[in-house]
Structures are given as C-alpha cells and as structure tokens.
Amino acid sequence: MAGLKDYVNTQVDANREQIEHHIKEILRLVGEDVEREGLLDTPARVTRMYEEIFAGYEVDPRDALGVAFDENHEELVIVKDITYYSQCEHHMAPFFGKVHIGYIPSGKIAGLSKFARLVEAISRRLQVQERITSEIADIMDEVLKPHGVMVVVEGEHLCMCARGVKKPGSKTVTMATRGSFRTDAAQRAEFLSLIKQ
C-alpha cells in the first residue's frame, strides 16, 4: 500500500460539483458574500481538501501493515510519536496529536513505516479518538497476532479547544491493550515509561 498521500477520496471526486455547490450554500447561509474575491475559489479548495483528508475511506487499514516478516524476536517493539490529523465526526472539526504503538511479536513483524501508514488509514476519516485507538490495537492484533499490543493516542480537539468550553491546550489521552498487555502491569509500565523518553 502506498502512503495515503498517493490516494484521494474518489467519492469526493465523483461528487465534486454537488459538494462545491453545498459549500457555497453554507457560506451564503452563514452570512458571507459568496461572490467576494477571497471566497470565489473556496468551494473548490475545500473539495480538494476533502479528497485528501478523507482518503482513509479508500483503503482497508489491514492492508497498511503489508507483508509480515518471520522474525524470531519476542521482545517489546515501540514506534512512538506518530503524528496524525483527523476530523471529529461530531463537529467535523480537526483533532490531531501523536500515536504510540507497542507490541510483542510472536514470530511475525511488520516494517516500521507500516505503523505510520496504519495510523493514516484509520485517522483520515470522520473519527473519534477512542475508535482510532481501538482500531489500531485490533488490527495489529488481528494481522500480526502478537503476544500483546498497547496503543496510546494523545489528541488535541478543536471542538473542545476553539469552541464549546474553549479550553486550548487541553489534551485527551486514550489507551487500548490487547493480549499480554492486558494482564501484565509490568509490561504496561515499561511501555508507558519508554514513550515518555
């Protein structure tokens, strides 16, 4: 699977004219002059942005992990600080942050760049942070069948920081554990200490 930067949401492309029309209508309905110079190309720009930020609908996240390799390594592997950007399904406002993934292989490993691709495939959709966290853990568990998986996602949500309660800088942290990480407190503690370094 190529990086999602190589994908566009084909539904957006197929419905370009309608989407642009509706964006223009929204601008008009909120009180804008849609004929103003600065807004003339806004519906087209927003539509092109939707093609990119919703590219996750075009791929099966399971494919992001690619081919698993046989490797006799059964110790903790961590890929941390994977940046993600997503759109809240409740307000269609951006949220973004970092994903930290740890797993203990049971004979199969994936290329390290594949974890970033998995994060992209899941986050480039309308989402909630809790689902992103669980989906990453579930797909890792399903595809690689490791002894254990742990995922921590940090997020800053503009629907909370820029509107509503307006608490800029507040972060949400979600966690998912599978396999041995659910039962082994020492493994969880090791993972959490290593992602803080």
Side-chain angles (χ1 to χ4, degrees):
M1 178 183 130
L4 280 183
K5 64 181 174 36
D6 302 322
Y7 286 85
V8 295
N9 185 306
T10 57
Q11 287 295 310
V12 173
D13 188 46
N15 296 300
R16 178 174 308 285
E17 191 175 302
Q18 289 179 60
I19 293 170
E20 289 180 16
H21 166 76
H22 290 296
I23 291 166
K24 188 173 182 178
E25 274 302 290
I26 289 169
L27 290 169
R28 186 183 65 74
L29 290 168
V30 299
E32 267 295 353
D33 172 6
V34 295
E35 301 305 321
R36 185 163 63 80
E37 182 182 6
L39 292 177
L40 288 176
D41 293 329
T42 296
R45 283 191 295 264
V46 171
T47 302
R48 287 192 302 272
M49 178 187 70
Y50 283 174
E51 283 182 318
E52 181 181 340
I53 66 175
F54 296 131
Y57 290 112
E58 294 294 312
V59 296
D60 181 342
R62 286 159 192 78
D63 296 339
L65 290 176
V67 176
F69 302 99
D70 292 328
E71 187 61 45
N72 189 22
H73 179 85
E74 296 193 11
E75 302 294 330
L76 181 58
V77 176
I78 296 175
V79 181
K80 67 179 191 171
D81 296 326
I82 302 169
T83 302
Y84 75 93
Y85 298 91
S86 194
Q87 299 288 312
C88 166
E89 69 180 34
H90 301 138
H91 299 97
M92 289 187 71
F95 68 99
F96 54 89
K98 303 274 187 189
V99 175
H100 315 287
I101 301 171
Y103 77 111
I104 299 173
S106 63
K108 295 278 186 194
I109 62 168
L112 297 177
S113 67
K114 306 302 190 215
F115 299 107
R117 289 183 178 164
L118 174 61
V119 170
E120 274 195 359
I122 290 172
S123 63
R124 288 191 181 216
R125 303 163 180 231
L126 290 173
Q127 274 289 14
V128 295
Q129 184 174 325
E130 295 87 345
R131 187 182 312 125
I132 289 174
T133 310
S134 294
E135 285 183 348
I136 292 169
D138 289 341
I139 290 170
M140 291 275 303
D141 197 43
E142 176 187 330
V143 173
L144 296 178
K145 301 188 182 341
H147 293 299
V149 176
M150 187 163 174
V151 178
V152 171
V153 178
E154 303 170 23
E156 189 166 343
H157 296 249
L158 293 189
C159 59
M160 180 176 165
C161 298
R163 60 153 303 280
V165 296
K166 295 183 183 80
K167 296 297 178 197
S170 59
K171 292 212 169 119
T172 300
V173 178
T174 50
M175 181 176 75
T177 58
R178 304 291 182 267
S180 60
F181 280 102
R182 279 203 166 151
T183 56
D184 191 329
Q187 277 184 359
R188 289 192 303 275
E190 179 183 21
F191 173 80
L192 292 170
S193 71
L194 289 169
I195 65 172
K196 289 181 172 139
Q197 294 181 4

